[in-house]
Amino acid sequence: MSDIAPTGTPGEVDHLVRWNDQGLVTAIAQEQATGEVLMVAWANREALATTLASGKATYWSRSRRKLWTKGEESGFFQRVLEVRADCDGDALLYLVEAPGPACHQLRRSCFSHRIDRDGSVHTDRPVIA
Amino acid sequence: MSDIAPTGTPGEVDHLVRWNDQGLVTAIAQEQATGEVLMVAWANREALATTLASGKATYWSRSRRKLWTKGEESGFFQRVLEVRADCDGDALLYLVEAPGPACHQLRRSCFSHRIDRDGSVHTDRPVIA
């Protein structure tokens, strides 16, 4: 695979991101300050464009079939400091500043379940941030 | 959604993880020491079981249609310190200790492309770690 030339040409992201057959890529939100992985969702072309334009992390909700700006209901918007894509263009990383819980279960991160070697599950307590 | 009770029962992970219609979930590798998100791939039930049993991050390669223990060719195994699952059970987070490049492009992380607001792409140089 040859690298994408860092030419800084506006719009070249269109040649980088490889949307799947549903027009989606994986989108990961990571708290920039702490490195904590907060959540994983999906983005389509419009969600990425909205994220870049607004600076608010925006996803595609597969269940509701609509664009979804995180925080539009809770008020806990994720301010996007940087957007990255991976080498094969099928995953995005939103580096964010995110007050409050990222998880609908009122946890900072959705990754609340630790799976131990014996397959047992240990779940973090909810925390109101 | 009710929480998974942290009962510590062996094998309860089977009730937590929700494999998609291809039997897969998203699997993210994060360097525990630095918080760096290294790569995103897929895991099936066997990949997760192998990861838990061996302590080496193992994925399902969709292109090769086989289990894939990261490092089996390069020698750069990812030692798994912790496995986590997210609230709806469709994503795994492998917290790893990973010498060398995680990316086949010889970069520490696959997330080598920064996307700026105007859609321009800026790519990290490869680094032999």
Side-chain angles (χ1 to χ4, degrees), chain A residues 4-5 7-17 19 45 48-49 52, chain B residues 114-122:
Chain A
I4 304 296
T7 55
T9 306
E12 64 188 331
V13 62
D14 288 340
H15 305 291
L16 173 68
V17 180
W19 312 100
R45 187 183 297 267
L48 173 58
L52 290 171
Chain B
R114 192 186 82 228
I115 303 170
D116 284 356
R117 188 166 178 163
D118 62 359
S120 62
V121 176
H122 304 263

Side-chain angles (χ1 to χ4, degrees), chain A residues 1-13 16-17 26 28 30 35-37 40 42 48 52-54 62 82-87 90-93 103-105 107 110-124 126, chain B residues 1-13 16-17 26 28 30 35-37 40 42 48 52-54 62 82-87 90-93 103-105 107 110-124 126:
Chain A
M1 180 187 289
S2 62
D3 285 347
I4 304 296
T7 55
T9 306
E12 64 188 331
V13 62
L16 173 68
V17 180
T26 301
I28 302 165
Q30 181 180 27
E36 192 172 19
V37 175
V40 177
W42 296 92
L48 173 58
L52 290 171
S54 70
R62 292 188 303 173
E82 191 168 310
V83 176
R84 301 189 74 86
D86 73 350
C87 52
D90 63 359
L92 298 174
L93 183 64
C103 184
H104 71 290
Q105 295 180 342
R107 295 182 166 97
C110 289
F111 285 90
S112 50
H113 303 295
R114 192 187 81 228
I115 304 169
D116 283 355
R117 188 166 178 161
D118 63 359
S120 62
V121 176
H122 305 264
T123 303
D124 299 341
Chain B
M1 179 186 292
S2 62
D3 284 345
I4 304 296
T7 56
T9 306
E12 64 189 329
V13 62
L16 172 67
V17 179
T26 301
I28 301 165
Q30 181 181 28
E36 192 172 20
V37 175
V40 177
W42 296 92
L48 173 58
L52 290 171
S54 70
R62 293 188 303 173
E82 192 168 309
V83 175
R84 301 189 73 85
D86 72 350
C87 51
D90 64 358
L92 299 173
L93 183 64
C103 184
H104 71 289
Q105 295 180 341
R107 294 182 167 96
C110 290
F111 285 91
S112 50
H113 302 296
R114 192 186 82 228
I115 303 170
D116 284 356
R117 188 166 178 163
D118 62 359
S120 62
V121 176
H122 304 263
T123 303
D124 300 340

Side-chain angles (χ1 to χ4, degrees), chain B residues 8-128:
Chain B
T9 306
E12 64 189 329
V13 62
D14 288 340
H15 305 291
L16 172 67
V17 179
R18 290 204 259 163
W19 312 101
N20 72 9
D21 54 10
Q22 299 168 75
L24 301 174
V25 293
T26 301
I28 301 165
Q30 181 181 28
E31 172 88 28
Q32 191 183 56
T34 62
E36 192 172 20
V37 175
L38 300 177
M39 54 178 280
V40 177
W42 296 92
N44 62 5
R45 187 183 298 267
E46 193 184 353
L48 173 58
T50 302
T51 298
L52 290 171
S54 70
K56 292 177 180 168
T58 301
Y59 306 92
W60 174 256
S61 168
R62 293 188 303 173
S63 56
R64 290 179 288 158
R65 302 193 60 75
K66 64 191 275 279
L67 273 198
W68 161 50
T69 295
K70 178 74 184 169
E72 62 193 4
E73 293 183 6
S74 68
F76 293 122
F77 293 99
Q78 296 174 335
R79 190 163 80 87
V80 175
L81 305 173
E82 192 168 309
V83 175
R84 301 189 73 85
D86 72 350
C87 51
D88 56 4
D90 64 358
L92 299 173
L93 183 64
Y94 293 166
L95 291 159
V96 302
E97 199 175 78
C103 184
H104 71 289
Q105 295 180 341
L106 298 182
R107 294 182 167 96
R108 277 292 299 155
S109 163
C110 290
F111 285 91
S112 50
H113 302 296
R114 192 186 82 228
I115 303 170
D116 284 356
R117 188 166 178 163
D118 62 359
S120 62
V121 176
H122 304 263
T123 303
D124 300 340
R125 291 177 187 277
V127 178
I128 311 291

Side-chain angles (χ1 to χ4, degrees), chain A residues 74-91:
Chain A
S74 67
F76 293 122
F77 292 99
Q78 297 174 334
R79 191 162 81 87
V80 175
L81 305 173
E82 191 168 310
V83 176
R84 301 189 74 86
D86 73 350
C87 52
D88 56 3
D90 63 359

Side-chain angles (χ1 to χ4, degrees), chain A residues 19-20 22-27 39-48 50-51 57-73 94 104, chain B residues 88 90:
Chain A
W19 312 100
N20 71 10
Q22 299 169 74
L24 302 173
V25 294
T26 301
M39 55 179 281
V40 177
W42 296 92
N44 61 5
R45 187 183 297 267
E46 191 183 354
L48 173 58
T50 302
T51 297
T58 302
Y59 305 92
W60 174 255
S61 168
R62 292 188 303 173
S63 56
R64 292 179 288 158
R65 303 193 60 75
K66 63 192 276 280
L67 273 198
W68 161 50
T69 295
K70 178 75 185 168
E72 63 193 6
E73 293 183 5
Y94 293 166
H104 71 290
Chain B
D88 56 4
D90 64 358

